[in-house]
Amino acid sequence: MALRARALYDFRAENPGEVSLREAEVLSLCSEQDIEGWLEGVNSRGERGLFPASYVEIVRGEAAGPPPPHSRYANLPPGGYEPAVAPPSYQSFSYSGARPAALQYQHSQPSDDDWDDEWDDSSSTAADEAPAPGYYGGGFHDYDSSRYRLSTPGSYSTTTSSTTTSSQAAKGTATVGRNLNRFSAFVKSGGEAFVLGEVAGFVRDGDKLCVVHGPHGPEWQENPYPFGCTIDEPTKQTKFKGMKSYISYRLLPSHTGLQVHRRYKHFDWLYARLLEKFPVISIPRIPEKQATGRFEEDFISKRRKGLVWWMDHMCSHPVLSRCDAFHHFLTCSDEKAWKQGKRKCEKDEMVGANFFLTLSTMPGAPVLELQEVEAKLDAFKSFAKRMDEGVLLLNQTVGEFARKQASGFKKEYQKVGMAFKGLGQAFEIDQQPFSGGLNLAMSFTADAYDAIGEMFAEQPRQDLDPIMDLLAVYQGHLANFPDIIHVQRGALAKVRESKKHLEEGKMEPQKANEIQERCNVISYATLAEIQHFHKIRVRDFKSQMQHYLQQQITFFQKVTLKLEEALQKYDTA
């Protein structure tokens, strides 16, 4: 009987020799023996290749049907979520079938703002250092890509192969192997090298990041000097005698009180540096670039709002707000000093694997149990999946409602107004003195309905637009966490492997303990970032919902006032 397995999670092949899987898919195995945590098999589409052993479960003596009802994802269709067909979306009162730009926050791409002037040739952008962004379709269906997939338990298990050499098998000489997939987030972030003790360096006091054990678990140590920063007065500037144009934004940090001016490319440069430096922190995404229409008023206004949200999340983060590159970005006003500071930031050695050296826990902080960390990661994965679906649904609903207000509601109210006006004009044919008051009241009513239609068209800018901007910010955060959790999963896998070697007498206790201690540091940082995400989520959605309801109340009060004014005209008619 052929060996079979059922896929527990989606997996997307990233390298030659790998094969993609879909959750609940049944596969034929070439062998039950894994090779460094990978199995070889054939998927339901007849494609043969390698896939992580922890992504599947062996089917023994049972029909390979769909998962049992009590499975965590028993309510999902067998093929997983497919992208929903989005209704026409709303953006700056331009109605097309495209998703609003507010929801297209992504790694920036070089399409506007020159990069050759005022910069070193070696300058890099987020587009250079990050994977090309795909269209964010919402839902955890998108997590089947390398950027959007939440890693699964033990996804980077490195079980020792049966071909282990005799020298490795000797007592106390076994080592934890390196991952077969060298393109995983765990490897690229430097997490693997850190956990295996392959990095060392001197960490300045200013670079040290402390994670404390708060009442709800690990938390980032708060910034003792919190501050904010406003972004306003976007103005069009030119250079080269008017041959080059760009938009400049005025930034005013509260802790310095000194204004600086920044172009979009400066935001993009900082974003790229932050992505490189902080692999276990969710960097808020900057608004997308745009090749055309960069100087249109609606686009400039929407970009500024996106940058305001970005700045708020940067200043609110206990770690990002104290980053040297961010401080340089906010305070430097001299061109020569800017270039020097920029080069210094680009030569920062505390990036990649060295970044993990800057992390530390408070003395006496408890060692987190692997099972506890796994449970919290699973809980966050389930939460993020549901939140992602809810964000997508709300965005579609709000976008459709805004479109109706801006076109449908406006037209309907104005149509009613025109009907009242037509009847009033018919009444004016009668020249009897006692009908004059009624005629005026009918005309006023027609004008009132026309004005209410205009009010409906303008209202989304006050209440629905801010909601869509907020949803865009959080779609960016939700898309960041899969790689962060991937790093954590990889670290946990290394600890499990070291424990196995220890039980078999192949590794010294001291070495196994060191691996666990380094994994514990990553666990503290990951859980601290999740905790921070929940804190700002509660803060932001509470504030935004209050704003939305206040705007709705004010709007309908204005509508009521218009109708009451019209009603009073009939009292004196």
Side-chain angles (χ1 to χ4, degrees):
M1 180 177 179
L3 287 171
R4 290 186 295 177
R6 180 186 296 113
L8 299 174
Y9 314 95
D10 289 345
F11 171 72
R12 180 178 179 181
E14 299 175 346
N15 303 293
E18 297 178 1
V19 64
S20 298
L21 310 179
R22 299 183 67 179
E23 185 175 341
E25 180 180 10
V26 177
L27 308 97
S28 297
L29 299 180
C30 298
S31 172
E32 191 174 351
Q33 177 64 47
D34 65 293
I35 304 173
E36 296 187 358
W38 294 74
L39 288 171
E40 184 177 10
V42 181
N43 63 16
S44 60
R45 297 174 294 284
E47 301 166 341
R48 178 169 177 165
L50 297 172
F51 47 87
S54 57
Y55 276 59
V56 301
E57 62 176 354
I58 307 297
V59 178
R60 302 181 187 278
E62 59 174 292
H70 63 271
S71 170
R72 177 184 305 172
Y73 303 124
N75 59 329
L76 297 185
Y81 279 101
E82 295 296 334
V85 179
S89 298
Y90 162 85
Q91 178 200 358
S92 300
F93 298 91
S94 174
Y95 309 109
S96 65
R99 181 177 303 276
L103 290 181
Q104 296 174 350
Y105 280 42
Q106 49 183 280
H107 298 303
S108 49
Q109 302 176 18
S111 59
D112 79 358
D113 286 287
D114 52 296
W115 283 91
D116 296 328
D117 62 304
E118 305 175 7
W119 297 88
D120 302 331
D121 292 339
S122 60
S123 296
S124 59
T125 70
D128 298 324
E129 305 182 13
Y135 180 77
Y136 187 80
F140 264 52
H141 174 82
D142 287 333
Y143 278 60
D144 64 357
S145 71
S146 60
R147 252 180 70 219
Y148 297 129
R149 183 180 67 249
L150 275 179
S151 305
T152 55
S155 58
Y156 282 94
S157 173
T158 53
T159 305
T160 305
S161 169
S162 58
T163 59
T164 302
T165 63
S166 58
S167 61
Q168 289 177 312
K171 181 176 181 180
T173 61
T175 59
V176 176
R178 297 172 65 84
N179 278 24
L180 187 63
N181 182 359
R182 306 310 298 165
F183 297 95
S184 73
F186 180 49
V187 175
K188 291 190 295 182
S189 69
E192 180 187 61
F194 171 72
V195 171
L196 297 182
E198 297 174 356
V199 294
F202 174 74
V203 181
R204 297 182 299 122
D205 289 342
D207 289 329
K208 293 180 180 178
L209 305 174
C210 186
V211 186
V212 300
H213 201 278
H216 304 290
E219 299 178 350
W220 293 115
Q221 191 173 48
E222 290 296 331
N223 184 354
Y225 306 104
F227 64 92
C229 181
T230 60
I231 302 178
D232 52 24
E233 296 184 8
T235 56
K236 186 176 180 180
Q237 306 286 340
T238 60
K239 61 181 182 178
F240 302 139
K241 297 182 179 180
M243 295 180 64
K244 282 292 254 185
S245 300
Y246 59 90
I247 300 298
S248 175
Y249 300 88
R250 183 178 76 104
L251 278 59
L252 184 61
S254 63
H255 63 311
T256 65
L258 301 176
Q259 67 179 27
V260 296
H261 291 84
R262 296 288 180 258
R263 295 171 55 180
Y264 179 84
K265 71 173 186 178
H266 299 127
F267 286 91
D268 190 73
W269 168 81
L270 175 60
Y271 179 61
R273 302 279 70 75
L274 297 173
L275 284 178
E276 179 185 26
K277 184 172 179 63
F278 299 109
V280 293
I281 292 178
S282 177
I283 310 299
R285 301 192 174 191
I286 59 175
E288 83 291 348
K289 288 194 173 186
Q290 184 165 312
T292 59
R294 292 186 291 125
F295 303 112
E296 294 179 2
E297 184 177 347
D298 281 347
F299 173 76
I300 294 173
S301 174
K302 196 161 192 68
R303 171 178 276 187
R304 188 192 73 82
K305 292 176 182 177
L307 292 175
V308 168
W309 272 113
W310 177 87
M311 181 62 73
D312 177 72
H313 278 218
M314 286 292 298
C315 294
S316 300
H317 199 287
V319 175
L320 299 179
S321 61
R322 289 181 281 180
C323 172
D324 288 344
F326 186 46
H327 178 75
H328 178 65
F329 173 83
L330 291 178
T331 59
C332 185
S333 57
D334 178 74
E335 181 178 344
K336 183 177 180 180
W338 167 265
K339 291 182 179 179
Q340 292 174 345
K342 173 180 173 291
R343 293 190 185 99
K344 181 181 177 182
C345 293
E346 291 169 351
K347 293 178 180 178
D348 183 5
E349 296 181 354
M350 293 295 107
V351 299
N354 286 339
F355 162 77
F356 294 97
L357 296 175
T358 67
L359 299 174
S360 63
T361 59
M362 295 291 287
V367 176
L368 301 175
E369 294 292 335
L370 266 64
Q371 294 82 356
E372 176 188 359
V373 177
E374 287 277 11
K376 289 185 176 180
L377 293 181
D378 285 340
F380 183 75
K381 173 182 176 180
S382 179
F383 167 83
K385 179 185 177 80
R386 291 293 299 275
M387 179 177 175
D388 189 72
E389 294 165 358
V391 165
L392 179 62
L393 176 61
L394 180 58
N395 172 65
Q396 293 174 344
T397 304
V398 167
E400 177 67 14
F401 188 49
R403 185 191 67 79
K404 288 179 179 179
Q405 283 194 220
S407 56
F409 289 8
K410 175 182 176 180
K411 290 179 180 178
E412 292 302 318
Y413 272 89
Q414 291 181 339
K415 186 185 295 184
V416 172
M418 288 296 294
F420 283 137
K421 186 178 288 292
L423 182 58
Q425 289 172 345
F427 286 172
E428 289 174 0
I429 297 176
D430 178 22
Q431 298 297 319
Q432 297 292 339
F434 55 79
S435 67
L438 175 62
N439 296 342
L440 290 174
M442 291 289 289
S443 177
F444 189 90
T445 301
D447 292 341
Y449 270 80
D450 187 74
I452 290 173
E454 291 291 346
M455 290 166 59
F456 268 102
E458 293 297 323
Q459 184 59 22
R461 295 181 184 270
Q462 308 301 322
D463 51 24
L464 297 179
D465 265 14
I467 287 182
M468 294 168 69
D469 291 338
L470 177 65
L471 296 179
V473 173
Y474 277 88
Q475 278 199 311
H477 279 302
L478 290 171
N480 289 340
F481 270 99
D483 278 350
I484 294 173
I485 295 180
H486 215 151
V487 174
Q488 177 65 71
R489 297 288 195 193
L492 295 176
K494 297 303 180 186
V495 173
R496 284 193 294 269
E497 185 179 351
S498 67
K499 286 187 174 182
K500 180 180 178 182
H501 286 323
L502 183 62
E503 292 171 356
E504 295 173 350
K506 299 177 181 178
M507 179 176 286
E508 294 294 337
Q510 180 181 354
K511 189 170 184 178
N513 290 337
E514 290 173 352
I515 290 177
Q516 183 169 1
E517 288 174 3
R518 289 189 286 266
C519 175
N520 191 58
V521 170
I522 295 181
S523 297
Y524 263 85
T526 302
L527 296 181
E529 187 61 17
I530 290 175
Q531 180 70 7
H532 176 74
F533 171 83
H534 284 309
K535 282 185 176 180
I536 61 170
R537 171 184 59 82
V538 172
R539 180 203 68 178
D540 289 344
F541 278 90
K542 175 183 176 180
S543 174
Q544 198 59 62
M545 289 306 299
Q546 287 174 330
H547 173 81
Y548 171 74
L549 293 174
Q550 288 168 352
Q551 290 294 322
Q552 285 278 289
I553 291 170
T554 301
F555 170 71
F556 284 108
Q557 285 175 340
K558 291 179 179 179
V559 172
T560 301
L561 182 61
K562 276 287 182 185
L563 296 176
E564 288 176 343
E565 289 176 353
L567 177 61
Q568 291 172 2
K569 298 296 181 181
Y570 292 92
D571 295 337
T572 58

